[in-house]
Amino acid sequence: MAEDSCTHTWGSWEQRTGPSPNCAFICSFFLVYLAMLLVVGTPLLFLEMAVGQRMQRSTMDMWRAIGPWAGGVGYTSFMVCLITSMYLNVFNAWIIFYLSFSFRFPVPWEKCALLKNSSGFDPECARTTPSMYFWYRQTLKVSDRIEVSEPPVWSLSLPFFISWCLTGAFLTNGLKSLGKVIGILILFPGIIILCFLIRGFMLEGAVHGLKHLLEVKVSTFYDLNVWIIAGCQVLFDLGLGFGPIASLSSHLVQSNNCLYDAIILTLASLAVRLFLMPCFLSVLGFWATIITNRCYEKNTETILMLIDLGILPPVALPPVYVRTNPALNYSTWFHGLPEHIRNMVLSKVPECSIENQLLKVWEGPRFAFLALVEVTSFMPASVLWSALFFVMLLNLGLGTTLGYMQGMVIPLQDSCLFFRTKVKLSLAGLSMLLFLGGLFFTRPAGIYFIRLLSDYWTILPIIVIVMCENLLVAWVYGARRFLTELRALLNCSIPHLCGCLWCYVTPSVLLGLLITIIFQIFVKPITYVAWDSETSTEVTRLYPRWSLILMLSLFLVVIIPIPGYIGYCLIYKIPFRPSHKNSLLQSLESPPQKNQIMPSDEVQRQEV
């Protein structure tokens, strides 16, 4: 569900914990990811689906039915979805902005534009790459620091409004049509990715990326940071803790085999990763080859100029065959030079290396995105591939946004009569409210706040939520009791391993993740990558103290319903554990609550 959401965790996590997995370790990281998926992802996915499907209640109420003191978990999940949806649709606004320019030839991120009434390029663009300049100065119109307070960028406000109009339109017809919409939003990008995969295998230099698929680094398995990154990625990929899984499951028929569904979704997540890895690496291998060849050509011209100026000795003069075809012959000639001459040349020109270019991609998702944007402009029929690439990203982005919106819309419709009877009006109002709130993130400094929330904040309440859910089922309600009743309802066998994972393994891993992340935030300074307009380069800056206080305050505000409801239960002496009379079997036999909407048989059949 949240493929977009965790593409934004590596960049800043690398800055506070050390290097993230690079392309040389991608196979090793996949194995670590697989282990975390099996011991954390799948058990928690099954847990959320089972509770939602069996309780048949709103997420505001279902956790209270499992544990009377857990009434605040659903409200915390709701607020996390609310805040995440506010800035998540800004990603779609960026994609729409790029898409509007992708039909030009050449695309504006391929070459620097000429200044008006001049034959020269913009100096700021000339000091960097065209793709970097277009991203920071044309798309974001970014400020140099997070402290800069300016109004929203109006060139982004219109795409942002369009993205919310699309989201609201897809939500209007309710659950019955939402499944078809999300199916299309997922299937169409799959077709485009298949096209990129086939085309990527035929591109020059694709082998340089693909060869990393089978490289395994044993030391990766002993790196705690890799396990933390993989754990966070699993939680985001499956959308755990946000609420949509439990909400949508509550509208499924009671006889549905949720264990089977959880396994299928896990296998689907793995299949997507296995499908994306060769596509991603082959295209990036082509990109690294093109960039390196351009580096060879530029270095050859620079060396000739420096020899003419007397800065380099004549012995460094490239032969005619190198000057004729630098892309093919430069590397062999350069590495054949005497070591002292080679070092002298390297002091004046950069080293050209395909491997170094590939390593840059793993500096974070920001660079990976720009590399993929740039590579579409290198491909033959660049306009077509650029348009397909951004249409694919827009489909995936809208699908993710719709998933998060379900974490708010379904609980509101289940709990509030107005949202059930005035569906279009309520959804329009909710979308407009989120649009107005999200304009804050379209300001020149908005990208820095998005990174603060997405890289550092979101994972904290998510881990707290899934830990509460896990402990509620495993220890408050009782894992053995829950699984016994679930077996009777599903009329199928459920392995006892699920109970062991819920009781011991999963909560221990989640607690370790939470402690480690909080330790890193407080011990090591958290930073962000900013744009320096004077040098046209990216620089690393420290987040100011007030931004950290804001982040922690927002975290406390979001999770306060959990301890607040516990205090309420203590005051009114509500028992900690649910009564054994209030089993899952009896809860299904009892009529729905007065204010709860139950899906019709037709809707249930459509959802299955």
Side-chain angles (χ1 to χ4, degrees), residues 41 144 183 341 409 419 447 496 567:
D144 286 6
I341 298 296
V409 173
F419 278 86
I447 180 65
H496 293 284

Side-chain angles (χ1 to χ4, degrees), residues 387-536:
L388 287 176
F389 175 69
F390 291 115
V391 168
M392 176 191 71
L393 290 183
L394 183 60
N395 277 265
L396 293 173
L398 288 174
T400 302
T401 303
L402 289 173
Y404 284 119
M405 289 294 290
Q406 291 307 308
M408 294 183 291
V409 173
I410 294 179
L412 288 174
Q413 290 179 343
D414 288 348
S415 306
C416 182
L417 180 62
F418 175 77
F419 278 86
R420 293 200 300 269
T421 57
K422 305 291 183 181
V423 176
K424 294 183 178 180
L425 180 61
S426 61
L427 288 176
L430 180 61
S431 299
M432 182 57 65
L433 178 65
L434 293 173
F435 164 72
L436 294 175
L439 285 175
F440 175 84
F441 299 103
T442 63
R443 301 180 311 125
I447 180 65
Y448 305 137
F449 286 95
I450 290 177
R451 288 174 182 166
L452 178 67
L453 293 175
S454 62
D455 295 343
Y456 298 102
W457 177 82
T458 308
I459 190 62
L460 295 176
I462 288 301
I463 294 180
V464 171
I465 291 170
V466 294
M467 280 186 65
C468 290
E469 295 174 354
N470 191 173
L471 295 175
L472 280 170
V473 172
W475 294 103
V476 177
Y477 195 88
R480 182 178 299 177
R481 173 186 172 191
F482 184 86
L483 289 174
T484 299
E485 295 173 352
L486 202 58
R487 291 187 187 100
L489 292 171
L490 297 181
N491 195 24
C492 70
S493 61
I494 300 176
H496 293 284
L497 178 63
C498 292
C500 296
L501 291 173
W502 287 346
C503 290
Y504 306 107
V505 180
T506 304
S508 301
V509 174
L510 292 174
L511 182 61
L513 280 176
L514 183 63
I515 292 174
T516 306
I517 292 173
I518 293 177
F519 176 79
Q520 295 290 351
I521 289 176
F522 282 99
V523 172
K524 295 186 177 181
I526 64 174
T527 59
Y528 65 100
V529 177
W531 178 254
D532 188 350
S533 57
E534 293 184 359
T535 60
S536 298

Side-chain angles (χ1 to χ4, degrees), residues 53-73:
Q53 183 175 309
R54 297 312 155 205
M55 301 314 294
Q56 296 283 301
R57 300 187 183 188
S58 163
T59 51
M60 304 295 191
D61 298 323
M62 69 174 60
W63 300 110
R64 183 172 57 190
I66 293 290
W69 284 23
V73 174

Side-chain angles (χ1 to χ4, degrees), residues 275-315:
F275 187 56
L276 282 174
M277 283 164 54
C279 175
F280 182 68
L281 290 175
S282 63
V283 171
L284 287 181
F286 167 70
W287 170 81
T289 301
I290 295 297
I291 295 297
T292 304
N293 289 343
R294 290 185 176 184
C295 178
Y296 291 154
E297 295 172 0
K298 187 175 181 179
N299 280 5
T300 302
E301 296 175 359
T302 304
I303 292 171
L304 291 173
M305 182 187 68
L306 293 175
I307 292 175
D308 290 340
L309 295 175
I311 299 175
L312 288 177
V315 70

